[in-house]
Every structure is written in C-alpha cells, then in structure tokens.
Amino acid sequence: MIILTGAAGFIGSVVAGELNNKGYNDLILVDDFSKKEKERNYIDLKYKSLVDRNNFFDWFKENHEEVDFVVHLGARTDTTEFDWNVFQKLNVDYTETMFTLCAEYQIPLVYASSAATYGNGELGYDDSHDVVEKLQPLNPYGRSKNEVDKWILKQEKQPPFWAGLKFFNVYGPNEYHKGRMASVIFHSFNQINATGKVKLFRSHRPDFADGQQLRDFIYVKDIASVICFMIERHRDSETARHQVKSGLYNLGTGKARSFYDLAANTFKAMGKDVNIEFIDIPEDIRDKYQYFTEANMTKLREAGYDKEFTSLEDGVADYV
C-alpha cells in the first residue's frame, strides 16, 4: 500500500491520478474530506480507503505493516496566513510525527518542502544541506517548511529512504479550490473570460520591469512524475541498486520565466489577444514578495531523473 496525504488537494490528487495510471490502486488517501468542494479531485480515483487526517496516526500505528511507501503532501500552504500556531500544528508537528513513525516502522517517505524556504534568494537556490540552517524564509509558511527540513537533517534515526521535495511555483489542474493561492494561470484564465484582460503585479523594485518578475514555474504533472520515479526506484528490485539517496531535492524546471510570459501564453492558448494591466502588490505581502526564483536541478538529475520538464508554453496550453 502507498499512503498519500493531502490527497484531496491540488498536487496530491494529481499524484494519486498518476499512481493510478501506473497501476497503483492500493492507495490510502488521507485528508480533511469534510470539504465537499474538493470531492471532485478524488471521486474518480482508485483507492483502498479514505482516512481523515486527524485519525491517520492511529490508523498508521495499526496498519503500518501493510504500508510500502508514504507520500506526505498534506499541509497548510497559504503564504498570506501569519498565525504561526496553524503552521506549527499542520506543517511542523504533523510532518515530524510522520517522519518519526516512518523511521520507527522503516517505511520510505517523500514529503513536500518548498522553494519558499529560500526567502529572497540571497543564498541562491541550491538544494545543498549546508545552507539549510542559514536560510531566511519571508513568511511563516516558508519558515514552517524550513523548520521541518532542519529538524529532519538532525535526526539520527531515519526511514530507509526519505526525500524532501522543494516545490517551486506549481501550476496545473485541480487547484480551483485554492482561492487567492491558486496559480496566476488559473486567475488569468478566469479574468480573461470575465473581462478580456489580466491584472499582474507591477514591480516595486527598479531592477525589474512590470510583469518581469521571474519564477520557476513547474507543471504539476512533472511533480507527479518525479514522485513516481522515486517510488519506483525503491519498490522495483531491478532498480534497487540505483536507489535515489535520501535528502532535500529541488523540484522546478531550472528555468525562470516571467509572469508576463505566463499571462501571454494563457491568452495565446485561449486564442485571444494579449491585454495586460498592472496593479500594485498588496501591502500585506509586498515586503515578502519573491522577485526571482530558479531551481538548481543538478542533484535530481544526478539521481537519475532524466525526463524533460514541460515547457511553460506546453504546460499552459495543456492546462487551458
């Protein structure tokens, strides 16, 4: 069995779908399933059972002998939430408990870290373990992910394999429920349908033109592909000698692109002329806004992942 937390959410549901595509139907889906608006993310998936996140650790203690792998994607991901207690409970404590149990039961674990751990990028975007203690995230969400990374790197007792995947800017299907936190493509598509134009943040820095803020945009289907790659490397006896080493791994494309490119490609995919208006970045996030992110993807490539990442143009067209 494979456990997948956050299974009703954006990334989790796409990963579950890709696991189904590869013949893995013995899934235990974990989430808060009381939110009916997310039901369409998992209603068509093949799985063994649904487990509420609040009951999961009890379930795990009773059923761990049947579990082959854990993919922990459940988290509070709102970068505009500033109540640390929320992140302490849902991100830090939950993930550390998951790691501790996987170490005790000797079950491989992949969990979601984040590029938000890199803060404004003054130390670069290199997934070396040497920089983790020095990173200065810009918001409580990024801090929660970095606190977990720091804690895990200090643990003597570990699962047989673990990987913390530092997701960069993920976009793609099944994010409709995320509201303000959904991708710019999602908001652009809806704005174009409603008004015929897209509003992007203007730059509040002289070294960046309006709309030319750069991010490493990664298509969610590529995230699913990488996670399946890690699972298969550890389940298939033929590839066992080529197992991926435990550690933190960046997960972007390695190529930063502008928000303008993102919006322009959305217009193109919808068959409409580009019409972009610039607005101020909201005050509550202005001093915590990243102007540039770009993943150093050397470590994952050296671990054996050799598929091409989806280009922004192809990803936007597919999503639209």
Side-chain angles (χ1 to χ4, degrees):
M1 289 191 303
I2 296 175
I3 289 168
L4 181 65
T5 74
F10 164 37
I11 299 174
S13 60
V14 174
V15 171
E18 181 61 15
L19 285 167
N20 283 171
N21 290 341
K22 289 183 173 292
Y24 297 105
N25 299 328
D26 56 342
L27 306 181
I28 303 299
L29 305 185
V30 181
D31 211 315
D32 174 2
F33 294 105
S34 66
K35 298 177 180 178
K36 294 302 179 185
E37 71 272 16
K38 296 163 84 171
E39 192 172 277
R40 74 191 210 205
N41 275 359
Y42 61 89
I43 196 165
D44 293 326
L45 295 173
K46 296 171 185 165
Y47 55 87
K48 190 167 184 177
S49 63
L50 303 178
V51 178
D52 184 272
R53 72 182 183 200
N54 293 318
N55 304 326
F56 169 69
F57 291 128
D58 289 335
W59 180 97
F60 197 18
K61 290 169 185 175
E62 292 177 11
N63 297 278
H64 64 86
E65 291 181 357
E66 300 176 58
V67 177
D68 300 305
F69 209 101
V70 175
V71 180
H72 175 43
L73 304 177
R76 181 62 175 268
T77 59
D78 189 346
T79 58
T80 64
E81 169 66 69
F82 292 100
D83 182 352
W84 175 250
N85 292 327
V86 171
F87 293 108
Q88 181 70 48
K89 176 184 177 183
L90 296 179
N91 293 9
V92 179
D93 294 347
Y94 205 98
T95 306
E96 290 180 0
T97 301
M98 184 74 78
F99 187 92
T100 299
L101 291 176
C102 286
E104 181 179 342
Y105 305 142
Q106 287 296 285
I107 298 170
L109 167 70
V110 167
Y111 73 92
S113 183
S114 172
T117 58
Y118 290 119
N120 65 14
E122 71 271 24
L123 296 177
Y125 297 94
D126 187 346
D127 47 11
S128 165
H129 294 175
D130 296 337
V131 301
V132 174
E133 288 285 346
K134 305 170 190 171
L135 295 175
Q136 297 291 329
L138 298 175
N139 52 50
Y141 165 70
R143 178 187 158 204
S144 72
K145 292 296 187 179
N146 202 54
E147 288 299 313
V148 169
D149 293 345
K150 289 194 294 186
W151 180 86
I152 284 176
L153 289 173
K154 294 172 184 171
Q155 300 311 298
E156 291 186 10
K157 188 172 183 180
Q158 299 190 345
F161 165 74
W162 65 269
L165 302 181
K166 294 196 173 207
F167 298 153
F168 277 66
N169 280 69
V170 189
Y171 68 96
N174 296 7
E175 62 170 339
Y176 58 88
H177 61 277
K178 290 178 68 69
R180 184 177 177 183
M181 289 296 105
S183 74
V184 173
I185 301 168
F186 178 86
H187 292 301
S188 295
F189 181 85
N190 290 328
Q191 287 177 26
I192 292 166
N193 274 334
T195 68
K197 65 183 178 183
V198 167
K199 293 181 178 180
L200 292 180
F201 288 152
R202 67 169 45 93
S203 173
H204 295 272
R205 281 176 47 174
D207 51 337
F208 284 85
D210 292 343
Q212 294 303 312
Q213 301 96 321
L214 299 166
R215 297 289 176 85
D216 193 333
F217 297 104
I218 176 94
Y219 199 28
V220 68
K221 293 180 182 179
D222 289 332
I223 300 273
S225 175
V226 170
I227 290 174
C228 288
F229 158 79
M230 289 187 165
I231 291 171
E232 289 174 344
R233 277 294 177 94
H234 286 268
R235 289 190 60 156
D236 183 352
S237 59
E238 290 297 312
T239 60
R241 60 196 179 90
H242 300 296
Q243 285 183 353
V244 181
K245 292 181 181 177
S246 294
L248 300 173
Y249 287 87
N250 280 341
L251 191 36
T253 65
K255 174 70 174 174
R257 298 290 298 273
S258 71
F259 281 106
Y260 185 92
D261 285 346
L262 198 73
N265 276 288
T266 307
F267 278 104
K268 180 180 178 182
M270 295 175 70
K272 298 180 182 293
D273 293 333
V274 176
N275 183 8
I276 295 174
E277 175 185 322
F278 295 103
I279 61 172
D280 286 340
I281 298 175
E283 291 278 358
D284 64 332
I285 63 171
R286 192 176 299 178
D287 62 343
K288 302 171 183 65
Y289 185 82
Q290 291 174 305
Y291 276 74
F292 172 82
T293 66
E294 186 175 81
N296 178 344
M297 293 303 298
T298 303
K299 190 191 285 189
L300 184 65
R301 291 305 194 191
E302 289 180 345
Y305 187 78
D306 57 6
K307 288 186 181 179
E308 287 297 314
F309 290 110
T310 307
S311 70
L312 184 66
E313 288 76 9
D314 290 345
V316 171
D318 186 60
Y319 186 19
V320 169

